[in-house]
Amino acid sequence: MPTSEAITRLPGPVSLAFAPYGAELEKTVQRARSEGHEVFLQVPMEPFDYPDSDPGPQTLLTALKGPENADRLAWAMS
């Protein structure tokens, strides 16, 4: 089901999660909220099989120091 259809067809009590890489993310999140959905941010984190499985740019990585991961988290939340 496409995102726009999920926003309109699912009942408001259903929460939706969005990746920070989505196109027109702010607009989509605002629409979901206006339809009564609670929204969550999917923060890209290092998978067990990293780097074979790469979740994308700005991923939180165990090899990075705290301030670097904090910057990446701030990017995702922006």
Side-chain angles (χ1 to χ4, degrees), residues 34-59:
S34 73
E35 293 287 333
H37 299 284
E38 180 177 18
V39 296
F40 294 94
L41 175 66
Q42 298 173 343
V43 177
M45 295 193 283
E46 180 177 325
F48 289 112
D49 60 347
Y50 183 82
D52 293 333
S53 177
D54 185 358
Q58 302 297 329
T59 297

Side-chain angles (χ1 to χ4, degrees), residues 25-36:
L25 185 59
E26 189 172 331
K27 179 180 173 185
T28 304
V29 167
Q30 287 175 354
R31 182 165 175 237
R33 286 181 178 156
S34 73
E35 293 287 333

Side-chain angles (χ1 to χ4, degrees), residues 2-26:
T3 302
S4 60
E5 188 176 347
I7 290 171
T8 57
R9 292 187 63 197
L10 294 172
V14 174
S15 298
L16 302 173
F18 296 93
Y21 311 122
E24 298 184 348
L25 185 59
E26 189 172 331

